[in-house]
Amino acid sequence: EVQLVESGGGLVQPGGSLRLSCSASGFTFSSYAMHWVRQAPGKGLEYVSGISTNGDTTYYADSVKGRFTISRDNSKKTLYLQMSSLRTEDTAVYYCVKEVGITPRLRIDYWGLGTLVTVSS
Amino acid sequence: QSALTQPPSASGSPGQSVTISCTGTSSDVGGYNYVSWYQQHPGKAPKVMIYEVSKRPSGVPDRFSGSKSGNTASLTVSGLQAEDEAYYYCSSYAGSNNWGVFGGGTKLTVL
């Protein structure tokens, strides 16, 4: 059974940093592209970032470019999102999502349960 | 990275069919067959209902179907049931310089 378990969320002050982790199981992690998607309270879904199978290709939405860094450790079957210079508008539930295949095309087949990040003073 | 356009709400009575649209551009919906649809109940994570325009993951009822014409994709829910009441979001790949864009979401109400 595919499982994606996010962790690392919490309360952080504006300008602060936080690292999210997503532990994967039930599939060959190294064979699939992965993504982060977020949802602000009461709002819709927003694509944040994606990474290729070996980590050599990444993508960031304009809203987080230069502040967030996506990475992965295939030996640990874990996806990361390093967030810095956090703003109040980054407050959201962050979901780890799995691509259907090797190539990132936002064909998602599994979502994690999400981890809440709250940016507030 | 403009969001895809969805109607904010849709509704239908049990047993009826309802169609939700998702309008983009030739750079996203119209340019690729990588449109997906997600169902989200309050307080829950989204669930994939359709991917690659019209493919259904295993376990998704065949009452859910997807299609695309030009720059607009559509999700049709036939034989509406009470449990179909939820928010529905579309997404599309938009090229190597824009890996993903979502629609604003549609609240489906079963009357």
Side-chain angles (χ1 to χ4, degrees), chain A residues 35 37 39 43-47 50-52 57-62 95 100 104-109 111-113, chain B residues 1 32-34 36 38 40 44-48 51-52 89 91-93 96-105:
Chain A
H35 310 271
V37 175
Q39 186 171 35
K43 301 297 184 181
L45 301 171
E46 179 187 13
Y47 185 76
I51 189 168
S52 60
T57 304
T58 58
Y59 172 83
Y60 301 93
D62 287 344
Y95 293 102
V100 165
R105 292 290 183 265
L106 202 58
R107 296 164 299 170
I108 301 169
D109 53 0
W111 293 67
L113 295 181
Chain B
Q1 296 177 352
Y32 305 93
N33 288 323
Y34 296 126
S36 299
Y38 313 94
Q40 187 179 36
K44 301 294 186 180
K47 173 187 176 183
V48 181
Y51 69 100
E52 291 182 12
Y89 295 91
S91 73
S92 176
Y93 176 70
S96 59
N97 293 323
N98 186 358
W99 284 14
V101 60
F102 282 89

Side-chain angles (χ1 to χ4, degrees), chain B residues 32-81:
Chain B
Y32 305 93
N33 288 323
Y34 296 126
V35 176
S36 299
W37 289 91
Y38 313 94
Q39 177 192 66
Q40 187 179 36
H41 289 105
K44 301 294 186 180
K47 173 187 176 183
V48 181
M49 307 305 284
I50 297 288
Y51 69 100
E52 291 182 12
V53 178
S54 60
K55 296 180 180 179
R56 260 189 322 273
S58 60
V60 173
D62 59 6
R63 302 185 295 103
F64 291 84
S65 62
S67 63
K68 189 184 83 167
S69 178
N71 297 335
T72 298
S74 299
L75 173 72
T76 298
V77 185
S78 304
L80 272 174
Q81 299 182 2

Side-chain angles (χ1 to χ4, degrees), chain A residues 47-117:
Chain A
Y47 185 76
V48 174
S49 182
I51 189 168
S52 60
T53 53
N54 61 8
D56 63 350
T57 304
T58 58
Y59 172 83
Y60 301 93
D62 287 344
S63 57
V64 307
K65 196 174 297 181
R67 300 187 299 120
F68 289 13
T69 301
I70 190 172
S71 62
R72 63 191 297 163
D73 186 332
N74 287 341
S75 66
K76 295 183 178 179
K77 300 180 182 181
T78 302
L79 177 72
Y80 303 100
L81 187 67
Q82 178 68 48
M83 304 184 295
S84 60
S85 302
L86 283 162
R87 307 166 180 167
T88 55
E89 55 264 36
D90 295 320
T91 294
V93 173
Y94 285 74
Y95 293 102
C96 166
V97 301
K98 173 185 168 294
E99 176 75 45
V100 165
I102 295 174
T103 308
R105 292 290 183 265
L106 202 58
R107 296 164 299 170
I108 301 169
D109 53 0
Y110 288 95
W111 293 67
L113 295 181
T115 186
L116 176 62
V117 173

